[in-house]
C-alpha cells in the first residue's frame, strides 16, 4: 500500500448539496459517466448534506484514477475516504 492507504475504502465526490433535489439533478446528469453514482445523506454542523459520490475502491490511487476520468468529462471531483 502507498502512504495514505492505511486501510479503508475510497470514493469520488462530484458534489455536495443542502437539497436532495439538487443532488438528484447532478446524479442524473452524471449517470452516463458515473453509472455507479449514488447519493449519501449525512449532516454537517447540524444541517443535512447530500453528497453525490461514485465508486468504492480499496486504494486512494484507484479512486484518483476514476476522479481524473470524471474531471475529463467536466466534473469537479475529489477523493473521499468512506466512513
Amino acid at each position: 500500500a502507498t502512504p495514505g492507504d492505511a486501510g479503508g475504502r475510497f470514493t469520488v465526490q462530484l458534489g455536495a448539496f443542502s437539497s436532495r433535489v439538487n443532488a438528484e439533478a447532478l446524479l442524473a446528469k452524471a449517470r452516463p459517466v458515473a453509472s455507479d453514482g449514488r447519493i449519501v445523506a449525512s449532516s454537517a454542523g447540524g444541517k443535512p448534506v447530500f453528497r453525490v459520490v461514485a465508486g468504492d475502491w480499496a486504494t486512494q490511487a484507484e479512486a484518483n484514477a476514476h476522479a481524473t476520468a470524471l474531471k475529463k468529462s467536466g466534473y469537479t471531483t475529489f477523493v473521499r475516504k468512506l466512513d
Side-chain angles (χ1 to χ4, degrees), residues 69-80:
L70 288 170
K71 283 179 185 175
K72 288 179 181 174
S73 294
Y75 293 93
T76 301
T77 64
F78 72 93
V79 173
R80 292 184 62 91

Side-chain angles (χ1 to χ4, degrees), residues 49-70:
V49 176
F50 301 94
R51 291 185 173 91
V52 179
V53 299
D56 179 351
W57 291 276
T59 69
Q60 189 168 357
E62 290 173 302
N64 285 340
H66 194 66
T68 298
L70 288 170

Side-chain angles (χ1 to χ4, degrees), residues 14 22-34 52 73-76:
L14 289 91
N22 291 343
E24 288 172 352
L26 176 60
L27 181 61
K29 179 181 169 197
R31 186 68 70 194
V33 292
V52 179
S73 294
Y75 293 93
T76 301

